[in-house]
Amino acid sequence: MSTLAPLCLSDMASPTLSPDDSSMSMSAAVSISPSDSENLSPDELELLSKLEEQNRLLEADSKSLRSVTGSCRTSVTSPGPPPLDQDSWELWGRIVTHWEEWTRRKEKLLKELIRKGIPHHFRAMVWQMLCNASDMPVKKQYADLLRMSSPCEKLIRRDIARTYPEHDFFRGQDSLGQEGLFNVMKAYSLIDREVGYCQGSAFIVGLLLMQMPEEEAFCVFVRLMQEYRLRELFKPSMAELGLCIYQLEYMLQDQLPELNLHFRSHCFHTSMYASSWFLTLFLTTFPLPVATRVFDIFIYEGLEVIFRVGMALLTVNQTELMQLDMEGMSQYFQKVIPHQFDSCPDKLILKAYQVKYNPKKMKRLEKEYAAIKSKEMEEQIEIKRLRTENRLLKQRIETLEKGQVTRAQEAEENYVIKRELAVVKQQYYTAAENLQSAQGLIRQLQDKQSDPRVTEELVHHLESELEQSRLREAETLGALKEMQEKVVELEKRSSSLPDESNIAMLQEEVQSMRKREAHALQVMREGQKQVTELSDKWQSLSSRGGSIWKDSPRKTPAGELHDEVMSSRLREVQAQSETRELRQRVLVLESQELLHEKQLSRLEKECKELRERLQNEAAHNKALQTQMNEDKRRHAVSECKNKEEVMAVRLREADSMAAVAEMRQRIAELEIQVTATLCECIVTLVVSRFPVICSICYW
């Protein structure tokens, strides 16, 4: 039965369209360890020895023709590769037929076979089995997704022509390859809107389309994105790419320190040459035969092979790279390195697995990178918070500067009022001196009333004093009006300010204000008393000297002038008393203004404290909101993973049931074939032994 299994599998895995690799990957020799050889039967060991003998003959032919199997929309674009020999068909036929047994009991041997290369005839089936992508639920959604529209369609159309432009399958705007590539990329952009479309993923999908139909390529690509860290690589933030670059830099620093120093001295960053390695899995670096060999191992072992191959390339070319500058190294990576292993991809794989790779160190580096990124994120949040606080402080400073300007204007106005009050005080003192001099003059007049010459001089002197008194009176009235206007303005300004509620804190100001008020009242009473005394003296003088001035013909004008002088002096004294009252009101308003300023300062301080408290509460609320969103996201991720695990279990059960049914059908077919063969053998035997009887029966 084992000898017939490859014949059945040849119908299943008939030469499908391939990109492909070297034919030596189809029938590559396998190095088997003693522990693995114990698990093999003698027939299998014999097959492997024959493969090793044929490998030397197949190494020269590294170019396999490219072809593709399509679905209902695809067709063959180029002749298929030469058929595999019987030993390779039998070995890989057994692997595919007994896949679970090989993955469970002969895992090491399967790993070695995959590292030597999967034959392109079996590659589509093996890839699907390796990533467990057969019969995925999304396969049923594929036709519905193609009928929908995606926001990434324009980007996909633009980049399709840049994907494998020299390959026959993708050449031409309306080629089957471009149409299939567009359909798969569009369908994935609809089921994963966070990733959408990324240019590097088109090369991976293109390679899958060279091996299998659209629906199967779509399922394999979805599984690669979900289970092989590719989704994190192609996210808009590309956080996983940064982690891979960080890990590769550590390996370079640890294993090739001199080359690392050379790169740093020329500012040749790792991302400049290694980003495409991780984003396209070397599909844009190597020719397709070599790149497909790397992709075989990637589907089985994951991103580890990308690190190994990258370090192998750097190790092999260290001497040449050390002699180049930045531009030379860039050209070397683009033109020389991609074609070094065209004829011997096995050498590249051998070098790759001589590289030291420690999974524990990679996990530790992943944690370090996560901590660094978390710290950077915290620093960005802190910088953003400080910028916000800086902006608020600038606004506060501008507000305070405006307030300071207003206060400076008020202080200037207060200074002007104080100067005017000083001028009024000076005028008051001058008026008091003039009053004393007038009193002395009255005494002199009383003594010299009998002398006519003195009377004429007195009249002239009184006329001049009358004019001066009128001028001073006009000035005093003008100053009085200005003071009244300013008092009214200050009263309006004080009425617009908030009322003082805390009286206990302002007792000292009120007491000082009362003292000033009492002093001002006392001064005002003294002035009123002096005015009263002057008026009494004037009345007594006018009554005593009335008879003398009546007899003289020039007494009447002199008396009138004297009366006017005295009346002007009386008005001047009254104006001075009113000035004292206004000054008292100004003092009261100044005290009120001082109280209001203190109250405003306290209110501003309270407002500042409330704003700071509000900002702290808002920051705390934002942190809690962020934590809640993160918890929700983790919960959703865990639920998705649980659902995926349940679906995977169900799919595996369905696959196992289908495999059992298929095996039963094959057993029945083989039994029928064995029966038919036995019948033919019996007939042949009978014919050979009894030819006469057979001829008689025939006739």
Side-chain angles (χ1 to χ4, degrees):
M1 190 170 115
S2 61
T3 57
L4 295 172
L7 296 175
C8 300
L9 288 171
S10 63
D11 297 333
M12 296 172 51
S14 58
T16 58
L17 300 168
S18 171
D20 199 276
D21 355 77
S22 59
S23 58
M24 60 184 161
S25 64
M26 306 171 196
S27 58
V30 182
S31 60
I32 306 170
S33 62
S35 60
D36 293 331
S37 62
E38 294 176 358
N39 299 326
L40 298 178
S41 62
D43 294 338
E44 292 174 344
L45 291 174
E46 184 179 358
L47 285 174
L48 292 177
S49 62
K50 290 181 180 180
L51 286 175
E52 289 181 355
E53 292 176 0
Q54 293 177 359
N55 184 55
R56 291 190 297 272
L57 301 175
L58 293 172
E59 279 182 353
D61 185 14
S62 62
K63 298 179 182 179
S64 58
L65 299 176
R66 296 165 182 166
S67 55
V68 140
T69 22
S71 57
C72 58
R73 295 179 297 276
T74 59
S75 62
V76 178
T77 60
S78 61
L84 287 176
D85 59 278
Q86 184 67 23
D87 295 335
S88 298
W89 276 111
E90 185 172 353
L91 176 61
W92 280 98
R94 288 181 182 181
I95 293 173
V96 173
T97 305
H98 307 286
W99 180 257
E100 293 184 359
E101 181 182 353
W102 276 79
T103 54
R104 186 173 62 253
R105 297 182 180 179
K106 304 176 182 179
E107 184 179 359
K108 293 183 179 179
L109 178 58
L110 179 61
K111 182 185 293 185
E112 292 294 332
L113 288 169
I114 292 173
R115 288 179 182 178
K116 289 296 181 180
I118 303 171
H120 67 276
H121 300 85
F122 293 91
R123 183 166 281 126
M125 290 185 295
V126 174
W127 282 1
Q128 293 180 62
M129 291 177 178
L130 283 173
C131 62
N132 196 18
S134 57
D135 297 330
M136 289 180 64
V138 294
K139 188 174 182 179
K140 300 178 181 179
Q141 304 174 8
Y142 184 73
D144 298 331
L145 292 172
L146 293 183
R147 288 192 290 269
M148 300 168 63
S149 61
S150 171
C152 303
E153 289 185 10
K154 291 184 179 179
L155 292 175
I156 298 172
R157 287 288 186 193
R158 184 192 65 187
D159 292 336
I160 278 179
R162 307 174 188 173
T163 306
Y164 301 114
E166 298 179 357
H167 198 284
D168 295 337
F169 185 55
F170 297 97
R171 189 175 299 167
Q173 186 174 0
D174 299 327
S175 62
L176 294 175
Q178 288 194 10
E179 188 65 24
L181 182 59
F182 173 78
N183 291 336
V184 175
M185 298 309 302
K186 171 187 171 182
Y188 185 80
S189 68
L190 289 170
I191 66 168
D192 190 354
R193 296 185 180 272
E194 183 181 0
V195 175
Y197 166 72
C198 186
Q199 186 177 4
S201 60
F203 290 93
I204 300 174
V205 176
L207 180 63
L208 296 175
L209 288 173
M210 296 177 195
Q211 303 291 335
M212 59 192 73
E214 286 183 21
E215 292 83 353
E216 297 176 1
F218 175 68
C219 295
V220 173
F221 182 65
V222 171
R223 184 65 71 186
L224 291 177
M225 293 291 285
Q226 292 175 351
E227 302 294 337
Y228 289 76
R229 296 168 58 184
L230 293 184
R231 185 175 184 274
E232 301 298 325
L233 278 172
F234 291 126
K235 276 186 177 180
S237 60
M238 289 189 172
E240 193 71 15
L241 178 60
L243 171 61
C244 294
I245 296 297
Y246 180 76
Q247 292 171 333
L248 184 64
E249 285 180 349
Y250 176 83
M251 294 178 67
L252 179 63
Q253 183 179 0
D254 185 36
Q255 301 180 25
L256 302 173
E258 296 180 357
L259 183 60
N260 181 51
L261 290 175
H262 180 70
F263 283 167
R264 289 190 176 183
S265 63
H266 289 81
C267 297
F268 193 62
H269 303 290
T270 309
S271 58
M272 297 172 67
Y273 60 87
S275 297
S276 62
W277 295 354
F278 294 100
L279 290 176
T280 63
L281 308 177
F282 287 103
L283 293 174
T284 58
T285 303
F286 295 132
L288 276 176
V290 183
T292 311
R293 288 285 302 277
V294 177
F295 196 81
D296 289 339
I297 305 173
F298 167 76
I299 290 185
Y300 189 69
E301 302 183 23
L303 283 176
E304 176 183 345
V305 68
I306 307 300
F307 288 99
R308 288 183 175 276
V309 172
M311 287 300 299
L313 292 177
L314 295 174
T315 304
V316 170
N317 297 279
Q318 180 180 6
T319 305
E320 291 78 6
L321 291 172
M322 291 285 290
Q323 300 173 1
L324 301 174
D325 57 0
M326 181 177 179
E327 185 177 356
M329 288 188 289
S330 179
Q331 294 293 326
Y332 194 84
F333 272 100
Q334 292 177 6
K335 297 180 179 180
V336 179
I337 289 179
H339 301 287
Q340 285 181 331
F341 300 95
D342 289 357
S343 60
C344 51
D346 285 333
K347 183 178 179 182
L348 174 63
I349 304 302
L350 180 62
K351 291 286 184 181
Y353 281 92
Q354 291 175 355
V355 173
K356 296 179 182 179
Y357 182 87
N358 192 339
K360 293 183 179 180
K361 282 187 179 181
M362 301 302 275
K363 287 289 184 183
R364 179 175 58 81
L365 291 173
E366 184 176 354
K367 293 180 180 179
E368 289 180 2
Y369 184 77
I372 292 171
K373 284 297 176 182
S374 176
K375 187 176 179 181
E376 289 180 356
M377 186 65 68
E378 292 176 358
E379 290 177 353
Q380 290 179 359
I381 294 173
E382 183 67 18
I383 289 171
K384 188 176 181 181
R385 185 183 64 81
L386 292 174
R387 286 177 178 172
T388 305
E389 291 182 357
N390 189 16
R391 179 172 53 81
L392 294 175
L393 287 174
K394 286 182 178 179
Q395 294 177 357
R396 179 65 177 166
I397 289 170
E398 291 176 357
T399 305
L400 291 175
E401 287 178 351
K402 292 179 181 178
Q404 288 178 357
V405 170
T406 306
R407 290 184 181 179
Q409 293 176 354
E410 292 178 355
E412 186 177 357
E413 292 177 358
N414 292 334
Y415 178 72
V416 172
I417 292 172
K418 288 179 181 178
R419 287 185 61 186
E420 292 177 353
L421 286 174
V423 172
V424 172
K425 286 181 181 179
Q426 187 66 30
Q427 291 178 355
Y428 167 72
Y429 294 140
T430 304
E433 291 177 358
N434 292 333
L435 182 60
Q436 292 177 1
S437 62
Q439 290 176 357
L441 183 60
I442 289 170
R443 295 190 194 98
Q444 291 177 4
L445 288 172
Q446 289 176 357
D447 296 336
K448 298 179 180 180
Q449 282 180 357
S450 57
D451 191 355
R453 289 179 297 178
V454 175
T455 303
E456 291 178 359
E457 292 177 358
L458 180 61
V459 169
H460 291 295
H461 182 66
L462 290 174
E463 287 177 353
S464 61
E465 285 187 357
L466 179 61
E467 292 177 358
Q468 293 177 0
S469 297
R470 287 176 179 173
L471 291 174
R472 286 196 298 271
E473 183 179 2
E475 293 177 357
T476 305
L477 289 174
L480 181 61
K481 288 181 181 179
E482 291 179 359
M483 292 296 294
Q484 288 176 350
E485 291 176 357
K486 290 182 180 179
V487 167
V488 171
E489 184 180 355
L490 288 173
E491 286 177 351
K492 290 181 180 179
R493 191 178 298 172
S494 0
S495 64
S496 63
L497 294 172
D499 297 332
E500 180 64 36
S501 58
N502 194 359
I503 301 175
M505 297 176 64
L506 306 174
Q507 288 181 353
E508 294 182 0
E509 288 83 352
V510 173
Q511 289 177 1
S512 61
M513 181 182 68
R514 288 177 179 174
K515 289 180 181 180
R516 290 195 296 270
E517 184 178 1
H519 178 68
L521 290 173
Q522 184 178 0
V523 173
M524 185 177 65
R525 288 170 185 168
E526 290 177 358
Q528 289 177 353
K529 187 176 180 182
Q530 290 178 359
V531 171
T532 306
E533 291 176 357
L534 285 173
S535 61
D536 293 339
K537 287 181 181 180
W538 169 251
Q539 289 177 1
S540 63
L541 287 173
S542 61
S543 61
R544 270 187 273 171
S547 59
I548 299 172
W549 291 343
K550 285 179 184 178
D551 296 336
S552 177
R554 300 185 65 180
K555 287 178 181 178
T556 300
E560 292 177 356
L561 290 173
H562 196 273
D563 291 340
E564 290 179 1
V565 169
M566 293 305 294
S567 61
S568 65
R569 289 180 178 174
L570 289 173
R571 286 194 298 272
E572 185 177 357
V573 171
Q574 291 176 356
Q576 291 174 356
S577 64
E578 290 179 358
T579 304
R580 292 193 190 95
E581 292 178 0
L582 290 173
R583 184 181 62 182
Q584 183 63 29
R585 291 180 67 185
V586 168
L587 291 174
V588 172
L589 291 174
E590 287 179 351
S591 302
Q592 291 180 356
E593 185 179 2
L594 182 62
L595 295 176
H596 291 316
E597 287 179 355
K598 291 184 178 180
Q599 184 182 7
L600 283 174
S601 63
R602 287 195 299 273
L603 290 174
E604 288 178 354
K605 187 176 181 181
E606 292 177 359
C607 289
K608 184 177 180 181
E609 292 176 355
L610 289 174
R611 287 175 182 171
E612 291 178 353
R613 185 176 178 183
L614 179 61
Q615 291 177 357
N616 293 331
E617 293 295 332
H620 183 62
N621 188 17
K622 187 176 180 181
L624 292 176
Q625 188 71 22
T626 305
Q627 186 177 1
M628 184 179 68
N629 293 335
E630 184 66 21
D631 293 338
K632 287 182 179 178
R633 187 187 64 79
R634 290 177 181 174
H635 181 66
V637 170
S638 62
E639 286 184 353
C640 292
K641 287 184 178 179
N642 292 333
K643 290 180 180 179
E644 290 177 357
E645 290 176 358
V646 171
M647 292 300 296
V649 171
R650 292 179 181 175
L651 288 172
R652 285 195 294 270
E653 290 178 356
D655 292 341
S656 61
M657 293 175 65
V660 169
E662 186 179 356
M663 291 300 296
R664 288 177 180 175
Q665 185 179 356
R666 288 181 182 176
I667 290 170
E669 291 176 356
L670 291 173
E671 287 177 352
I672 293 170
Q673 291 179 3
V674 169
T675 304
T677 306
L678 288 174
C679 292
E680 291 177 357
C681 292
I682 291 170
V683 170
T684 305
L685 182 62
V686 170
V687 169
S688 62
R689 289 192 178 184
F690 305 100
V692 176
I693 296 173
C694 291
S695 61
I696 292 171
C697 293
Y698 176 75
W699 287 108

